[in-house]
Amino acid sequence: LDPCVLLGALGAVFAQKPAVHGELKLLWPLHISKIPLSAADKPSLEPPDFAHGLRDAGRRGMEKYVKDILPRELEVDSDFALEFNRSDHSRLNLAFWRWQTRVFADRERLTAARFVVQGQRVPRLPGIPYSWPEFYDHPQYKILLRRITEVIKQYLTRSGYTEAELEGKFRIFPWVEVFSEGEAMHPMTYTSNAYLMGRYWVSVPPGSLTLKFEDNRGINPPFGKTLNEDVYEGQLLLYPSWASTFISPNMKAEAAVCICFLVFPRDGGQLDWKEDRTADLVVAKSFEVTKKR
């Protein structure tokens, strides 16, 4: 062995400073997963035109609802009409969501109360049709549900759920939101005892709108932060249903279309707050501290 090499190796060993290992813990962080499901400019799970059929069905469904169904709802439900007239730029999508909740419940032969968030009313009104085969019977709908099921299992595993806790299938409640020019969504928490919430952006004009996450620690300094998520077409976002979010007004003439969904246990039950791993998440990382000689 070359003595010079040996001396160099020994010098490197002695030059190393001893270190101890520490642990960094992030207590109760907000778990947001972002996945390119059908993006055009990055590797994705599906091709860019994957959900174009659902996008078009969503646009047509909103147009039909606003033209034919909403006026009738406002006529026969005075409480809803008062609420609608006092509401803001979120009101069309909130009304469309209310109608879709009843449509989905009837389709699944379940009570609508199992899918509502706190304070939401979804009455069955006379003379109102509650079906939407153009969306739910679309061939891409079943494929999308399979994709969502795949990624939510991984999300929940990353959140701390065990395989035993995730046995069986999920019940996924989807609904469509269409943001025309100037429309937005005010701050919302979808506290319906679901596993999680997701948003699949099937159509987003560049620079049109932003999804914003509010600080769950409160509004007083040093908290009160807002995370701006610049969504893109083909992006799938997963996050806890209790996270407070809002959507900025669409600044483009072209509408943005989003397929939202809540994920529940298949057996029809609702997730108990004490069993929600997304609210009990702790992330631990190790680090080194070098000791001075």
Side-chain angles (χ1 to χ4, degrees):
L1 181 62
D2 189 333
C4 294
V5 175
L6 178 60
L7 289 173
L10 290 173
V13 170
F14 287 115
Q16 292 180 353
K17 296 181 179 180
V20 297
H21 293 276
E23 185 181 44
L24 167 68
K25 278 192 174 181
L26 304 177
L27 296 179
W28 315 305
L30 179 62
H31 179 183
I32 304 172
S33 286
K34 300 181 286 186
I35 304 164
L37 180 54
S38 59
D41 59 348
K42 59 187 67 181
S44 301
L45 298 176
E46 296 289 348
D49 62 349
F50 166 66
H52 285 184
L54 292 176
R55 174 201 63 192
D56 296 340
R59 287 173 176 169
R60 290 192 295 267
M62 171 63 101
E63 292 172 359
K64 181 178 180 180
Y65 172 76
V66 172
K67 179 182 177 181
D68 300 331
I69 299 175
L70 178 60
R72 178 60 179 164
E73 289 181 319
L74 296 173
E75 180 182 346
V76 300
D77 189 341
S78 58
D79 290 337
F80 173 60
L82 181 62
E83 178 184 349
F84 184 85
N85 291 329
R86 289 178 174 177
S87 189
D88 54 18
H89 40 249
S90 310
R91 63 185 188 175
L92 284 181
N93 275 305
L94 291 176
F96 193 30
W97 176 30
R98 186 181 92 142
W99 177 78
Q100 290 177 82
T101 303
R102 172 63 62 184
V103 172
F104 180 79
D106 284 3
R107 181 182 177 86
E108 297 293 313
R109 298 181 180 179
L110 299 169
T111 60
R114 289 171 52 180
F115 305 104
V116 300
V117 300
Q118 293 179 354
Q120 187 187 32
R121 294 173 53 252
V122 285
R124 183 184 303 280
L125 300 175
I128 302 297
Y130 293 105
S131 65
W132 192 12
E134 296 83 0
F135 180 74
Y136 291 109
D137 292 337
H138 197 286
Q140 292 175 343
Y141 176 75
K142 291 184 178 180
I143 300 175
L144 176 60
L145 290 188
R146 286 200 298 267
R147 276 297 188 194
I148 290 175
T149 301
E150 292 172 4
V151 297
I152 62 178
K153 285 184 177 179
Q154 298 174 33
Y155 173 92
L156 293 173
T157 300
R158 292 192 298 271
S159 297
Y161 285 91
T162 64
E163 291 187 8
E165 290 175 312
L166 298 178
E167 285 184 356
K169 297 181 179 180
F170 302 103
R171 188 177 299 279
I172 302 171
F173 164 41
W175 72 93
V176 176
E177 293 179 349
V178 181
F179 297 92
S180 299
E181 185 176 12
E183 292 182 346
M185 181 60 68
H186 59 224
M188 292 280 295
T189 55
Y190 299 81
T191 50
S192 52
N193 292 27
Y195 278 116
L196 70 139
M197 180 170 176
R199 286 183 174 274
Y200 174 38
W201 294 93
V202 295
S203 178
V204 185
S208 57
L209 48 72
T210 302
L211 174 65
K212 299 176 182 288
F213 289 86
E214 293 192 304
D215 197 332
N216 292 292
R217 298 169 298 179
I219 61 174
N220 296 320
F223 311 126
K225 312 295 184 184
T226 300
L227 172 67
N228 296 326
E229 181 64 38
D230 293 323
V231 297
Y232 58 85
E233 188 166 315
Q235 183 188 42
L236 174 65
L237 281 161
L238 306 174
Y239 52 91
S241 62
W242 44 260
S244 179
T245 62
F246 63 99
I247 296 175
S248 64
N250 182 5
M251 305 303 292
K252 302 294 183 179
E254 180 183 351
V257 182
C258 181
I259 299 177
C260 314
F261 56 91
L262 289 167
V263 181
F264 298 90
R266 182 66 185 182
D267 61 8
Q270 292 184 326
L271 188 68
D272 190 280
W273 290 109
K274 294 178 290 186
E275 300 173 354
D276 187 354
R277 299 286 182 265
T278 65
D280 195 32
L281 182 62
V282 177
V283 178
K285 298 181 179 181
S286 61
F287 60 89
E288 290 186 351
V289 177
T290 303
K291 294 194 297 185
K292 295 183 179 180
R293 291 185 179 276

